[in-house]
Amino acid sequence: MAYDLEEQEQLDAIKAWWNRYGTLIMSLLVIVALAWGGWWGWQAYQNHRANQAMGYFEALEDAASLNGPESVARIKAAAATLRKDYPATGYASRGALVAATALIQQKDVAGAREQLEWLAGQSKHPALQPVARERLASLLLDEKQYDAALAQLNNPPAPFAALYADRRGDILAAQGKADEARQAWQTALDGMPASDPLRQVVQLKLDALSGA
């Protein structure tokens, strides 16, 4: 097939351009393809791990609905697996709270404390870490470990400030520090919206303290 001079010059220009940039273009295409495939592979891996974590969490919930030594062992085993193998997932943090509640109900306070202490130290779970700290403070209050309980309530996240102040008041009152307890409960009241049902409870504590 014959080409006129202009067409030949165009073909030569295309060949010269390809010779200069073709290898680079192919390399870039390969990199993009590998990156795309890697992203999908990572997504698949993450989904697989999430499904595995969900399975252990469901097993934990099932065990928590039962009673007895076998139930306690199953709760601890499922929670331990979530903490060890899937610590960054939401199932691990939720599992710790579920396990702690179930273990307290089954009178395994030491086991519950272990769950709460783990979650209270996990800053990568900002939604549930403050919940664990407050519950751990309550547990330590019941065990009369007042200083350790108060330590859990330091630097409260803003949404938990009133709740933490209320719990701090409980601890201070248990220590016989009436003035400090009154101040903590007043702080709690000041930080609660008028519609918060906990306000009435805190007010009752203040009234009882004032009448003592």
Side-chain angles (χ1 to χ4, degrees), residues 133-206:
R133 288 172 56 193
E134 190 276 331
R135 293 188 184 180
L136 180 56
S138 297
L139 188 153
L140 292 168
L141 168 61
D142 291 340
E143 296 186 325
K144 303 186 187 307
Q145 298 185 36
Y146 303 126
D147 290 341
L150 287 171
Q152 290 298 325
L153 303 175
N154 290 331
N155 303 314
F160 289 84
L163 181 61
Y164 275 36
D166 174 44
R167 189 63 64 243
R168 186 178 296 106
D170 295 341
I171 298 166
L172 293 168
Q175 290 179 293
K177 300 177 179 179
D179 290 341
E180 293 178 56
R182 183 180 296 107
Q183 183 178 1
W185 282 330
Q186 187 60 57
T187 298
L189 277 179
D190 293 342
M192 291 178 181
S195 59
D196 193 326
L198 187 59
R199 286 185 61 89
Q200 184 176 359
V201 176
V202 178
Q203 187 63 60
L204 287 172
K205 294 177 187 178
L206 271 173

Side-chain angles (χ1 to χ4, degrees), residues 29-43:
L29 290 174
V30 169
I31 291 171
V32 170
L34 290 173
W36 183 256
W39 183 83
W40 276 108
W42 176 250
Q43 291 295 109

